[in-house]
Short mmCIF file of all heavy atoms in Angstrom, two decimals:
data_model
loop_
_atom_site.label_atom_id
_atom_site.label_comp_id
_atom_site.label_asym_id
_atom_site.label_seq_id
_atom_site.Cartn_x
_atom_site.Cartn_y
_atom_site.Cartn_z
N GLY A 1 32.83 13.43 -0.42
CA GLY A 1 32.62 14.67 -1.15
C GLY A 1 31.17 15.11 -1.27
O GLY A 1 30.85 15.92 -2.14
N ASP A 2 30.30 14.64 -0.37
CA ASP A 2 28.87 14.99 -0.50
C ASP A 2 28.52 16.37 0.06
O ASP A 2 27.39 16.85 -0.09
CB ASP A 2 27.98 13.93 0.15
CG ASP A 2 28.14 13.82 1.67
OD1 ASP A 2 28.90 14.62 2.27
OD2 ASP A 2 27.50 12.93 2.28
N GLY A 3 29.49 17.04 0.71
CA GLY A 3 29.26 18.38 1.22
C GLY A 3 28.41 18.45 2.47
O GLY A 3 28.07 19.54 2.93
N ARG A 4 28.07 17.33 3.07
CA ARG A 4 27.18 17.32 4.24
C ARG A 4 27.98 17.31 5.55
O ARG A 4 29.07 16.74 5.63
CB ARG A 4 26.29 16.08 4.22
CG ARG A 4 25.34 15.98 3.03
CD ARG A 4 24.50 14.71 3.18
NE ARG A 4 23.69 14.41 2.03
CZ ARG A 4 22.45 14.88 1.82
NH1 ARG A 4 21.92 15.69 2.70
NH2 ARG A 4 21.78 14.54 0.73
N VAL A 5 27.39 17.91 6.57
CA VAL A 5 27.82 17.74 7.96
C VAL A 5 26.66 17.03 8.64
O VAL A 5 25.57 17.61 8.78
CB VAL A 5 28.11 19.08 8.64
CG1 VAL A 5 28.60 18.85 10.06
CG2 VAL A 5 29.12 19.88 7.85
N ALA A 6 26.86 15.78 9.03
CA ALA A 6 25.68 14.97 9.37
C ALA A 6 25.97 13.92 10.43
O ALA A 6 27.12 13.55 10.69
CB ALA A 6 25.16 14.28 8.10
N LEU A 7 24.89 13.47 11.03
CA LEU A 7 24.89 12.26 11.83
C LEU A 7 24.14 11.19 11.05
O LEU A 7 23.05 11.45 10.51
CB LEU A 7 24.19 12.47 13.18
CG LEU A 7 25.03 13.06 14.31
CD1 LEU A 7 24.13 13.39 15.51
CD2 LEU A 7 26.15 12.11 14.74
N HIS A 8 24.72 10.01 10.96
CA HIS A 8 24.02 8.83 10.44
C HIS A 8 23.63 8.01 11.66
O HIS A 8 24.50 7.61 12.44
CB HIS A 8 24.94 8.00 9.53
CG HIS A 8 25.42 8.72 8.32
ND1 HIS A 8 26.33 8.17 7.44
CD2 HIS A 8 25.12 9.95 7.83
CE1 HIS A 8 26.57 9.03 6.46
NE2 HIS A 8 25.85 10.11 6.68
N MET A 9 22.33 7.75 11.83
CA MET A 9 21.86 7.08 13.05
C MET A 9 20.90 5.95 12.73
O MET A 9 20.10 6.04 11.79
CB MET A 9 21.16 8.09 13.97
CG MET A 9 22.08 9.17 14.49
SD MET A 9 21.27 10.27 15.70
CE MET A 9 20.31 11.30 14.59
N THR A 10 20.98 4.91 13.52
CA THR A 10 19.99 3.84 13.38
C THR A 10 18.63 4.39 13.77
O THR A 10 18.52 5.33 14.57
CB THR A 10 20.37 2.63 14.25
OG1 THR A 10 19.43 1.57 14.03
CG2 THR A 10 20.40 2.98 15.73
N ALA A 11 17.57 3.84 13.17
CA ALA A 11 16.22 4.38 13.37
C ALA A 11 15.20 3.26 13.35
O ALA A 11 15.46 2.18 12.79
CB ALA A 11 15.90 5.40 12.28
N PRO A 12 14.02 3.49 13.93
CA PRO A 12 12.97 2.46 13.93
C PRO A 12 12.49 2.15 12.51
O PRO A 12 12.60 2.99 11.61
CB PRO A 12 11.85 3.10 14.76
CG PRO A 12 12.50 4.20 15.52
CD PRO A 12 13.62 4.69 14.67
N PRO A 13 11.92 0.98 12.29
CA PRO A 13 11.38 0.63 10.97
C PRO A 13 10.37 1.66 10.49
O PRO A 13 9.50 2.09 11.25
CB PRO A 13 10.72 -0.73 11.21
CG PRO A 13 11.45 -1.31 12.38
CD PRO A 13 11.79 -0.15 13.26
N GLY A 14 10.51 2.08 9.26
CA GLY A 14 9.59 3.05 8.67
C GLY A 14 9.95 4.50 8.91
O GLY A 14 9.44 5.39 8.22
N ALA A 15 10.83 4.77 9.88
CA ALA A 15 11.16 6.15 10.20
C ALA A 15 11.91 6.83 9.06
O ALA A 15 11.68 8.01 8.77
CB ALA A 15 11.99 6.21 11.48
N GLN A 16 12.80 6.11 8.42
CA GLN A 16 13.60 6.70 7.35
C GLN A 16 12.72 7.28 6.24
O GLN A 16 12.86 8.45 5.85
CB GLN A 16 14.56 5.66 6.76
CG GLN A 16 15.45 6.18 5.66
CD GLN A 16 16.10 5.04 4.89
OE1 GLN A 16 15.54 4.52 3.92
NE2 GLN A 16 17.29 4.63 5.32
N ALA A 17 11.81 6.46 5.72
CA ALA A 17 10.95 6.91 4.63
C ALA A 17 10.10 8.10 5.05
O ALA A 17 9.93 9.06 4.29
CB ALA A 17 10.07 5.76 4.16
N HIS A 18 9.56 8.05 6.27
CA HIS A 18 8.70 9.14 6.74
C HIS A 18 9.48 10.44 6.87
O HIS A 18 9.03 11.51 6.41
CB HIS A 18 8.09 8.78 8.08
CG HIS A 18 7.39 9.91 8.76
ND1 HIS A 18 6.18 10.42 8.31
CD2 HIS A 18 7.75 10.69 9.84
CE1 HIS A 18 5.83 11.43 9.09
NE2 HIS A 18 6.76 11.61 10.00
N LEU A 19 10.68 10.38 7.49
CA LEU A 19 11.44 11.60 7.74
C LEU A 19 11.96 12.21 6.44
O LEU A 19 11.90 13.43 6.26
CB LEU A 19 12.61 11.29 8.68
CG LEU A 19 12.23 10.94 10.12
CD1 LEU A 19 13.44 10.45 10.89
CD2 LEU A 19 11.61 12.16 10.82
N VAL A 20 12.45 11.37 5.54
CA VAL A 20 12.99 11.89 4.28
C VAL A 20 11.88 12.53 3.44
O VAL A 20 12.08 13.58 2.82
CB VAL A 20 13.70 10.78 3.49
CG1 VAL A 20 14.08 11.25 2.08
CG2 VAL A 20 14.94 10.30 4.23
N ALA A 21 10.71 11.90 3.44
CA ALA A 21 9.59 12.45 2.67
C ALA A 21 9.05 13.73 3.27
O ALA A 21 8.68 14.67 2.55
CB ALA A 21 8.49 11.42 2.56
N SER A 22 9.02 13.83 4.59
CA SER A 22 8.40 14.98 5.25
C SER A 22 9.33 16.17 5.40
O SER A 22 8.87 17.32 5.43
CB SER A 22 7.87 14.58 6.64
OG SER A 22 8.93 14.13 7.47
N ALA A 23 10.63 15.92 5.48
CA ALA A 23 11.58 17.04 5.68
C ALA A 23 12.90 16.74 4.98
O ALA A 23 13.93 16.49 5.63
CB ALA A 23 11.80 17.27 7.18
N PRO A 24 12.93 16.74 3.64
CA PRO A 24 14.14 16.40 2.90
C PRO A 24 15.29 17.38 3.12
O PRO A 24 16.44 17.04 2.84
CB PRO A 24 13.68 16.40 1.44
CG PRO A 24 12.44 17.24 1.42
CD PRO A 24 11.78 17.02 2.75
N LYS A 25 14.98 18.58 3.62
CA LYS A 25 16.06 19.53 3.93
C LYS A 25 16.91 19.01 5.08
O LYS A 25 18.13 19.24 5.12
CB LYS A 25 15.45 20.89 4.30
CG LYS A 25 16.47 21.93 4.75
CD LYS A 25 15.79 23.23 5.13
CE LYS A 25 16.79 24.25 5.66
NZ LYS A 25 16.13 25.52 6.06
N HIS A 26 16.28 18.32 6.01
CA HIS A 26 16.98 17.88 7.22
C HIS A 26 17.39 16.42 7.19
O HIS A 26 18.34 16.04 7.89
CB HIS A 26 16.09 18.12 8.44
CG HIS A 26 15.73 19.55 8.66
ND1 HIS A 26 16.66 20.57 8.67
CD2 HIS A 26 14.52 20.15 8.87
CE1 HIS A 26 16.06 21.73 8.88
NE2 HIS A 26 14.76 21.51 9.00
N PHE A 27 16.69 15.59 6.40
CA PHE A 27 16.92 14.14 6.46
C PHE A 27 17.23 13.57 5.08
O PHE A 27 16.73 14.07 4.06
CB PHE A 27 15.70 13.44 7.06
CG PHE A 27 15.32 13.93 8.43
CD1 PHE A 27 14.23 14.78 8.61
CD2 PHE A 27 16.08 13.58 9.53
CE1 PHE A 27 13.89 15.24 9.87
CE2 PHE A 27 15.75 14.04 10.80
CZ PHE A 27 14.65 14.87 10.97
N PHE A 28 18.03 12.51 5.06
CA PHE A 28 18.38 11.85 3.81
C PHE A 28 18.72 10.39 4.09
O PHE A 28 18.90 9.98 5.26
CB PHE A 28 19.56 12.56 3.14
CG PHE A 28 20.84 12.55 3.95
CD1 PHE A 28 21.82 11.60 3.72
CD2 PHE A 28 21.06 13.51 4.94
CE1 PHE A 28 22.99 11.58 4.48
CE2 PHE A 28 22.23 13.51 5.71
CZ PHE A 28 23.20 12.54 5.46
N VAL A 29 18.80 9.62 3.02
CA VAL A 29 19.19 8.21 3.14
C VAL A 29 20.71 8.14 3.05
O VAL A 29 21.29 8.47 2.02
CB VAL A 29 18.55 7.36 2.03
CG1 VAL A 29 19.01 5.90 2.14
CG2 VAL A 29 17.03 7.45 2.09
N PRO A 30 21.39 7.72 4.10
CA PRO A 30 22.85 7.71 4.08
C PRO A 30 23.41 6.53 3.30
O PRO A 30 22.73 5.51 3.16
CB PRO A 30 23.21 7.60 5.57
CG PRO A 30 22.05 6.86 6.17
CD PRO A 30 20.83 7.30 5.40
N PRO A 31 24.62 6.66 2.78
CA PRO A 31 25.23 5.54 2.07
C PRO A 31 25.56 4.39 3.01
O PRO A 31 25.69 4.59 4.22
CB PRO A 31 26.51 6.14 1.48
CG PRO A 31 26.82 7.30 2.38
CD PRO A 31 25.50 7.83 2.84
N TYR A 32 25.64 3.20 2.44
CA TYR A 32 26.03 1.97 3.15
C TYR A 32 24.98 1.50 4.16
O TYR A 32 24.47 0.39 4.08
CB TYR A 32 27.40 2.14 3.85
CG TYR A 32 28.50 2.58 2.93
CD1 TYR A 32 29.16 3.79 3.12
CD2 TYR A 32 28.87 1.81 1.83
CE1 TYR A 32 30.16 4.22 2.25
CE2 TYR A 32 29.87 2.22 0.95
CZ TYR A 32 30.51 3.42 1.18
OH TYR A 32 31.48 3.83 0.31
N VAL A 33 24.67 2.33 5.16
CA VAL A 33 23.74 1.91 6.21
C VAL A 33 22.29 2.25 5.87
O VAL A 33 21.36 1.82 6.55
CB VAL A 33 24.12 2.53 7.58
CG1 VAL A 33 25.43 1.95 8.07
CG2 VAL A 33 24.21 4.05 7.48
N GLY A 34 22.08 3.04 4.82
CA GLY A 34 20.72 3.41 4.42
C GLY A 34 19.81 2.23 4.15
O GLY A 34 18.65 2.22 4.60
N PRO A 35 20.29 1.19 3.42
CA PRO A 35 19.43 0.04 3.16
C PRO A 35 18.98 -0.70 4.42
O PRO A 35 18.02 -1.47 4.38
CB PRO A 35 20.32 -0.86 2.29
CG PRO A 35 21.25 0.09 1.60
CD PRO A 35 21.53 1.14 2.63
N ARG A 36 19.66 -0.45 5.54
CA ARG A 36 19.28 -1.07 6.81
C ARG A 36 18.32 -0.18 7.60
O ARG A 36 18.02 -0.47 8.76
CB ARG A 36 20.53 -1.35 7.64
CG ARG A 36 21.40 -2.46 7.05
CD ARG A 36 22.84 -2.39 7.51
NE ARG A 36 22.98 -2.17 8.95
CZ ARG A 36 24.13 -1.82 9.52
NH1 ARG A 36 25.20 -1.61 8.78
NH2 ARG A 36 24.19 -1.65 10.82
N GLY A 37 17.83 0.90 6.98
CA GLY A 37 16.84 1.76 7.64
C GLY A 37 17.42 2.92 8.41
O GLY A 37 16.67 3.67 9.06
N TRP A 38 18.74 3.11 8.36
CA TRP A 38 19.34 4.23 9.08
C TRP A 38 18.91 5.54 8.45
O TRP A 38 18.54 5.60 7.29
CB TRP A 38 20.87 4.12 9.06
CG TRP A 38 21.43 3.08 9.97
CD1 TRP A 38 21.04 1.78 10.08
CD2 TRP A 38 22.51 3.24 10.90
NE1 TRP A 38 21.80 1.12 11.01
CE2 TRP A 38 22.71 1.99 11.52
CE3 TRP A 38 23.31 4.32 11.25
CZ2 TRP A 38 23.70 1.80 12.49
CZ3 TRP A 38 24.31 4.13 12.21
CH2 TRP A 38 24.48 2.89 12.83
N ILE A 39 19.01 6.61 9.24
CA ILE A 39 18.63 7.94 8.77
C ILE A 39 19.84 8.86 8.82
O ILE A 39 20.66 8.79 9.75
CB ILE A 39 17.48 8.52 9.64
CG1 ILE A 39 16.94 9.80 9.00
CG2 ILE A 39 17.91 8.75 11.07
CD1 ILE A 39 16.21 9.58 7.71
N GLY A 40 19.98 9.70 7.79
CA GLY A 40 20.99 10.75 7.80
C GLY A 40 20.36 12.05 8.22
O GLY A 40 19.27 12.41 7.76
N VAL A 41 21.02 12.79 9.12
CA VAL A 41 20.49 14.05 9.64
C VAL A 41 21.49 15.17 9.34
O VAL A 41 22.62 15.15 9.84
CB VAL A 41 20.25 13.98 11.16
CG1 VAL A 41 19.62 15.26 11.67
CG2 VAL A 41 19.40 12.77 11.52
N ASN A 42 21.09 16.13 8.52
CA ASN A 42 21.92 17.30 8.25
C ASN A 42 21.96 18.18 9.50
O ASN A 42 20.91 18.61 9.99
CB ASN A 42 21.36 18.11 7.07
CG ASN A 42 21.54 17.40 5.75
OD1 ASN A 42 22.60 16.85 5.47
ND2 ASN A 42 20.50 17.41 4.92
#
């Protein structure tokens, strides 16, 4: 029920924090796989 249309993708170390901080409109921390560094892409 999060309302998103997204890809959850594995990403290099550090990429998640950088992308979410720089472009929160497009990127987010996805559930479950987020703690492993994956990135969510709207």
Side-chain angles (χ1 to χ4, degrees):
D2 65 4
R4 298 181 188 273
V5 182
L7 276 172
H8 298 175
M9 295 185 283
T10 183
Q16 181 194 88
H18 170 72
L19 291 171
V20 171
S22 61
K25 176 181 176 181
H26 299 310
F27 303 104
F28 62 96
V29 178
Y32 306 117
V33 292
R36 291 158 45 194
W38 285 49
I39 189 69
V41 184
N42 289 316

